[in-house]
Each structure stands twice: as C-alpha cells, then as structure tokens.
Amino acid sequence: MPEVGMLLMGVIVGAKGIKGEVKIKSFTENPEDVAAYGPLMDASGKTAFTLKVVGLSKGLPVARIKGISDRNAAEALKGTELYVSRDRLPETEEAEEYYHADLIGLPVFFQDGTKFGTILRLHDFGAGDMLEIVPEGKGEKAAVLVPFTVEMVPEVDVSGGRVVVELGEDFFEVPENPESAAKP
C-alpha cells in the first residue's frame, strides 16, 4: 500500500527490446507525461525511478530507467507501480477538474444531506469511471460501485470535502432473473 499523498502514475507492464527499456501503462492524461514530474517511487516509497520516455509502443510509453541497462533487469520490474507525491503535481485549472486521488476518503452524501459513505477508490473499467463507496457503518466488502456521471454524482466539492450522489429509488434493487420469472 502506498504512503498517503502518493498518486499512482503508471505501472511497468513489461520490457521492450534488449537495452533495458520498459513499457508503461500510464494513468496520466497524456501517456508520455508519466515521466514529467521527476523521479517516481515504488509503492514502498523506498526505491526511486528516474524515467526518460523514448517512444511509444501500441499507445504505451516506452521509457529508459536510470540504472537499468538490460532486458533481464527490465523484466524484473514488471508489475512495479510508479507513484509521485501529490504536491509535485500542478493544481487543476478549472473548478470541475480534480485528481482522482483528491476524491479518495471524501465523505459521500445524498441530496437530503444524509451521509451515504466514503469513497474508497476510483475505477476505470473502460466504459467510464466508477466510484467505489463504502456505505456508512459497513466494511469494504459492502462497497458499492456508482457510475461517476453528472446524473449520479451531481456535486463534487473537493475544497469543501464532500461529494453528493443522486441514486434512483431502484438503485439498490436486485433485478429479477428473467429465466426464473418465466417459470410457473
């Protein structure tokens, strides 16, 4: 688990070539920016990686890491998550713009002011971001995924430390199984 205040910038997904270059799945808006904020740390915070992006391979940045000069050393880094301290990132330019990490831990309320829970993490499964929310008084196993859309999450107030959700009355209903409904 990374230290508090550290943001995941990318993960090394494999080696590229024989000179120690690595492919990185970048979580930055522009994939090549994964190296733009200075040295990145592993999850323990004990190892720093100085990256230089040298190209792209199938949309993934290819980087050289200082001190890594052969394929075996590069392959050994596969799966390494790369973090940066939140304070090294620039402030967002617009009120409706924020870093996902700024949302982690924020309390979540319904429109009427009732506390729903706390944001545990954000996910992007390919069809849009999802908030993983732990309901008030329940553990992580009871977490609920809420689509991070304007309709479902009409208010995000990072500076005020709160998020408001608008969940339909049927949000928590389990749909009926069509096969069992058709049987007498």
Side-chain angles (χ1 to χ4, degrees):
M1 191 77 169
E3 294 179 32
V4 173
M6 298 298 283
L7 302 181
L8 181 61
M9 301 298 283
V11 62
I12 298 173
V13 295
K16 172 79 173 160
I18 60 171
K19 296 182 181 179
E21 295 169 342
V22 295
K23 294 183 286 186
I24 300 171
K25 180 177 181 183
S26 174
F27 302 122
T28 57
E29 187 173 8
N30 297 314
E32 311 85 56
D33 288 347
V34 70
Y37 304 102
L40 302 177
M41 305 298 291
D42 67 359
S44 72
K46 295 178 182 171
T47 305
F49 300 94
T50 302
L51 306 177
K52 179 181 180 184
V53 174
V54 295
L56 290 173
S57 174
K58 297 181 182 173
L60 298 177
V62 175
R64 288 195 184 107
I65 299 176
K66 186 175 183 179
I68 303 296
S69 59
D70 64 66
R71 185 174 182 88
N72 290 340
E75 285 177 346
L77 294 174
K78 184 177 181 178
T80 301
E81 294 177 329
L82 303 169
Y83 292 86
V84 68
S85 174
R86 168 65 177 91
D87 60 14
R88 292 212 337 245
L89 297 176
E91 289 305 314
T92 57
E93 296 176 14
E94 299 176 28
E96 297 289 318
E97 188 177 53
Y98 33 79
Y99 294 107
H100 285 182
D102 293 340
L103 302 177
I104 309 259
L106 286 183
V108 179
F109 297 89
F110 290 115
Q111 293 274 6
D112 67 5
T114 306
K115 186 167 183 189
F116 172 49
T118 305
I119 297 175
L120 179 63
R121 44 181 89 84
L122 277 87
H123 300 280
D124 181 356
F125 298 116
D129 292 332
M130 301 285 281
L131 295 176
E132 184 174 358
I133 302 171
V134 176
E136 188 70 8
K138 303 206 175 173
E140 283 187 30
K141 290 186 179 185
V144 175
L145 292 177
V146 174
F148 194 16
T149 64
V150 173
E151 294 80 21
M152 302 289 267
V153 187
E155 183 182 337
V156 175
D157 183 1
V158 173
S159 61
R162 63 184 272 131
V163 172
V164 175
V165 293
E166 176 65 45
L167 306 179
E169 290 181 26
D170 63 344
F171 184 82
F172 293 103
E173 289 181 15
V174 177
E176 191 175 299
N177 183 341
E179 289 181 18
S180 65
K183 295 179 182 176

